[in-house]
Amino acid sequence: DQQVKQNSPSLSVQEGRISILNCDYTNSMFDYFLWYKKYPAEGPTFLISISSIKDKNEDGRFTVFLNKSAKHLSLHIVPSQPGDSAVYFCAASAKQTGANNLFFGTGTRLTVIP
Amino acid sequence: EAGVVQSPRYKIIEKKQPVAFWCNPISGHNTLYWYLQNLGQGPELLIRYENEEAVDDSQLPKDRFSAERLKGVDSTLKIQPAELGDSAVYLCASSFGASGASTDTQYFGPGTRLTVL
């Protein structure tokens, strides 16, 4: 039972344009959401997070939006750069499942075309 | 500051053989996690340690998998015997370990890619 879903396995955007990666979740008890970025042969790297008490968190070119009623979050990258090409994983956690157990989506491969 | 260290990076074994993976977390991180990542999937938690105590091993297949974290620092994950379906990337992560906090960021190592022939 996939509690965190990333329905787009891949996304291609032109350099300088906006990249929007989407994520849906089913467990209403999730209270913290994260995005990880993964390059080949490396482990996932933490990118940005958002608590369920907020609907937006921004860090430089990266912004995460949370829509709790729709159980949906998205990651916006503006402007996109070739170095952003990687697999992006959405993850979520809830206190009831254990202090910090993360549930991951299946990932979206972003390709930024120079 | 050094990140999470894992070894080996790659391992190829024949089925029914044993295999072990080693993880050294970030210094000062009390919580350590082992994840399994199958091809095309996201990481899935196998076991979580807080210091030397395994506080969540509900997803660890205990018939063939075992883990330990002696002295609350390094950890070893073992599979004995390995099966073809165990081919995957095994990731170790660590976090500072603020008890009860769901906002404790996890930092991942590069993983060990296991191939079982």
Side-chain angles (χ1 to χ4, degrees):
Chain A
D1 180 28
Q2 194 76 22
Q3 299 187 57
V4 178
K5 300 177 183 179
Q6 294 176 256
N7 293 319
S8 297
S10 63
L11 173 69
S12 293
V13 298
Q14 291 286 337
E15 180 179 3
R17 305 294 292 270
I18 184 171
S19 294
I20 300 177
L21 294 90
N22 294 303
C23 177
D24 298 294
Y25 61 95
T26 58
N27 189 338
S28 58
M29 297 306 292
F30 285 147
D31 58 8
Y32 191 59
F33 304 88
L34 310 89
W35 286 94
Y36 280 83
K37 174 180 180 180
K38 186 182 182 304
Y39 292 118
E42 295 184 12
T45 302
F46 170 72
L47 190 58
I48 192 170
S49 62
I50 187 166
S51 167
S52 60
I53 63 174
K54 296 184 176 182
D55 55 17
K56 177 182 175 181
N57 188 27
E58 190 172 355
D59 182 2
R61 298 185 298 111
F62 303 91
T63 303
V64 56
F65 295 91
L66 176 63
N67 182 334
K68 290 189 292 295
S69 61
K71 295 190 178 67
H72 176 83
L73 64 156
S74 60
L75 174 68
H76 293 208
I77 307 173
V78 182
S80 300
Q81 300 174 353
D84 296 329
S85 297
V87 177
Y88 288 79
F89 289 98
C90 171
S93 67
K95 288 186 179 181
Q96 70 164 4
T97 66
N100 204 16
N101 289 358
L102 291 179
F103 294 83
F104 284 84
T106 53
T108 296
R109 181 178 300 277
L110 173 66
T111 302
V112 180
I113 303 165
Chain B
E1 179 182 315
V4 176
V5 179
Q6 290 188 247
S7 70
R9 293 293 312 276
Y10 303 90
K11 188 73 177 179
I12 301 174
I13 61 171
E14 300 211 340
K15 63 181 181 182
K16 301 185 181 179
Q17 294 300 305
V19 64
F21 315 122
W22 175 81
C23 174
N24 179 246
I26 292 172
S27 177
H29 281 191
N30 299 314
T31 305
L32 183 146
Y33 314 78
W34 282 102
Y35 286 86
L36 164 69
Q37 184 176 15
N38 285 306
L39 187 64
Q41 302 295 313
E44 298 175 36
L45 181 70
L46 288 172
I47 189 168
R48 172 169 61 93
Y49 281 93
E50 291 189 8
N51 297 302
E52 64 273 11
E53 182 182 359
V55 295
D56 185 351
D57 62 356
S58 57
Q59 300 304 310
L60 190 72
K62 298 181 184 62
D63 56 336
R64 297 184 300 109
F65 286 65
S66 64
E68 60 183 10
R69 191 184 183 198
L70 299 177
K71 302 180 181 179
V73 181
D74 294 1
S75 177
T76 302
L77 177 68
K78 298 179 181 177
I79 309 175
Q80 183 171 10
E83 297 179 352
L84 295 176
D86 296 331
S87 295
V89 175
Y90 291 82
L91 293 162
C92 178
S94 70
S95 66
F96 180 72
S99 179
S102 63
T103 60
D104 190 24
T105 300
Q106 296 183 30
Y107 296 88
F108 284 80
T112 297
R113 180 176 294 278
L114 174 67
T115 301
V116 182
L117 302 176

